[in-house]
Amino acid sequence: MTHLNAELISAVASMAERVGIDTTTPAARTDGALWAALTDAGFTEIGIPEAQGGSGGSTADALSVVYAAARHGALTMLLEHTMLASRLVAECTGSPASHPATLAIADDSCTVRDTGDGIVLDGIVSGVVHGSDAELLVVLLPAAGTGERPSVAIVPADAPGISLAGGSDLLGAALDDYHFDSTPVQLYRSPVGTTEIEERGALAYAVALTAAAGTVRDRTLRYAAERVQFGRPLAKFQAIQQRLAGLAALTALMETATEAAEAADHSARRTAIAAAKVVTSASAREVAAAGHQIHGAIGFTSEHMLGRSTTALWSWRNRYGSERYWSEILAGQILDESVDPWALITSAESSRACAAEGNSR
């Protein structure tokens, strides 16, 4: 991952090793000690300009922290807070979220109205990642009309009129439904469109998926080299060698696609992110399968470290768009916009039309 910040990755790795990560799967709770260490170091606000109260640094720096945490199997709300919710709060208000925050994307069932005493929110949002772990909910409301920006409702998690239906994903992360009934909110016009938020989430999860896949690869290679069966290491068996080669190739493909998305300029951004999310989401299942097949039964135990990374691959592959969704985005450039497929692969020029179309929605 050549475009990430090696120093930040090393710093997060040192924190994770110092505080310790409980990789029991599903997790009983988030890794609070690591979150506290990241917060104290200012790493949870990396990527937010200092002028907006953040720690400064680039998006690549913020992705580096996300990558390192995922590489060590840590379960935190870092991605939702740093890459999405807190960054959007800073863009709206000039200051990042002062407490752990997560982003909820609402549909037309959510509405806001002015009561005379203030703005209130009504409706339901489903599948809010780390919802019950957050102290602040950032709700992205759909735009009122074509060409308009969406609205952002900022609401404390303990505000009146909120009902929570708790749930969790396979990894153990909270995945909650919220019902708002005349809930007081702070309302802002979003400075960025829904497409931009979608791309931020897709890129961040592509990076996280790549990190988890790298951990599966490394642990599986090590296990195959150390585990002796019938008098020789597993890695000496031809069938295992072929499976390991396939695992390594898929992981390298994920890394290459994600690096291209990180390095893409504005004109190529949407195309590169779409390709990265297609590749990482589509490869996640096979990477997890290869890791478990080579580890055998031991890899399926809740205490084994492998499960934290493979379950992350299963849980994250559909976040901010599945491989099918992003494949359709790429196909749309070819079928609906008459873009030459070869130009799509070899040139950034073809993505300009898609970016313009996305920003207008």
Side-chain angles (χ1 to χ4, degrees):
M1 302 294 288
T2 56
H3 290 91
L4 297 183
N5 188 317
E7 292 183 358
L8 282 174
I9 291 173
S10 177
V12 176
S14 297
M15 292 180 191
E17 291 167 2
R18 174 166 49 84
V19 303
I21 304 296
D22 180 5
T23 55
T24 301
T25 308
R29 61 187 65 84
T30 58
D31 290 298
L34 179 59
W35 176 261
L38 292 169
T39 301
D40 290 343
F43 284 10
T44 57
E45 306 303 342
I46 285 181
I48 299 174
E50 293 183 33
Q52 295 178 344
S55 300
S58 65
T59 298
D61 292 331
L63 289 170
S64 301
V65 179
V66 169
Y67 176 88
R71 200 75 160 82
H72 284 77
L75 180 62
T76 69
M77 54 188 304
L78 184 66
L79 192 155
E80 283 72 24
H81 174 90
T82 302
M83 298 301 304
L84 299 170
S86 188
R87 180 176 175 182
L88 186 55
V89 169
E91 289 169 333
C92 289
T93 70
S95 300
S98 56
H99 300 287
T102 192
L103 181 67
I105 299 180
D107 57 23
D108 293 335
S109 66
C110 274
T111 58
V112 290
R113 53 191 171 88
D114 190 345
T115 65
D117 295 323
I119 305 295
V120 298
L121 174 65
D122 298 291
I124 297 173
V125 290
S126 302
V128 181
V129 182
H130 288 299
S132 56
D133 300 319
E135 296 181 33
L136 193 70
L137 300 175
V138 182
V139 183
L140 186 69
L141 300 165
T146 303
E148 294 189 21
R149 295 290 188 187
S151 298
V152 177
I154 300 176
V155 52
D158 59 356
I162 295 180
S163 300
L164 169 67
S168 65
D169 62 13
L170 295 173
L171 195 57
L175 200 63
D176 306 311
D177 298 339
Y178 281 86
H179 180 264
F180 302 104
D181 184 8
S182 298
T183 302
V185 299
Q186 292 179 312
L187 190 66
Y188 299 88
R189 181 68 65 187
S190 176
V192 296
T194 303
T195 296
E196 169 67 19
I197 298 298
E198 176 186 67
E199 290 172 0
R200 290 178 185 179
L203 177 58
Y205 270 106
V207 169
L209 284 163
T210 301
T215 300
V216 172
R217 175 200 58 203
D218 293 350
R219 286 178 175 161
T220 304
L221 287 170
R222 184 165 57 250
Y223 179 80
E226 295 172 351
R227 173 66 172 172
V228 175
Q229 193 73 28
F230 302 111
R232 53 179 174 161
L234 285 178
K236 296 296 184 180
F237 291 89
Q238 186 176 24
I240 299 295
Q241 291 173 353
Q242 291 174 337
R243 201 71 172 110
L244 289 171
L247 171 58
L250 280 175
T251 307
L253 181 63
M254 295 170 76
E255 291 172 346
T256 300
T258 305
E259 285 179 0
E262 293 161 11
D265 60 23
H266 178 73
S267 65
R269 177 178 170 81
R270 188 162 178 81
T271 299
I273 290 174
K277 195 58 167 65
V278 168
V279 168
T280 54
S281 292
S283 302
R285 187 173 181 177
E286 184 63 19
V287 167
H292 278 295
Q293 286 169 353
I294 293 173
H295 274 82
I298 191 174
F300 285 95
T301 60
S302 62
E303 298 85 3
H304 198 280
M305 293 184 294
L306 180 72
R308 178 59 65 90
S309 297
T310 55
T311 307
L313 290 171
W314 295 327
S315 298
W316 296 343
R317 60 196 300 262
N318 290 332
R319 298 266 170 87
Y320 285 87
S322 65
E323 62 265 35
R324 178 172 181 174
Y325 172 81
W326 286 105
S327 293
E328 289 175 351
I329 296 294
L330 293 174
Q333 296 183 51
I334 298 169
L335 300 177
D336 299 335
E337 301 167 25
S338 301
V339 173
D340 177 46
W342 183 245
L344 184 65
I345 296 171
T346 62
S347 173
E349 296 295 323
S350 60
S351 65
R352 289 198 177 101
C354 181
E357 184 272 339
N359 289 332
S360 69
R361 287 187 303 193

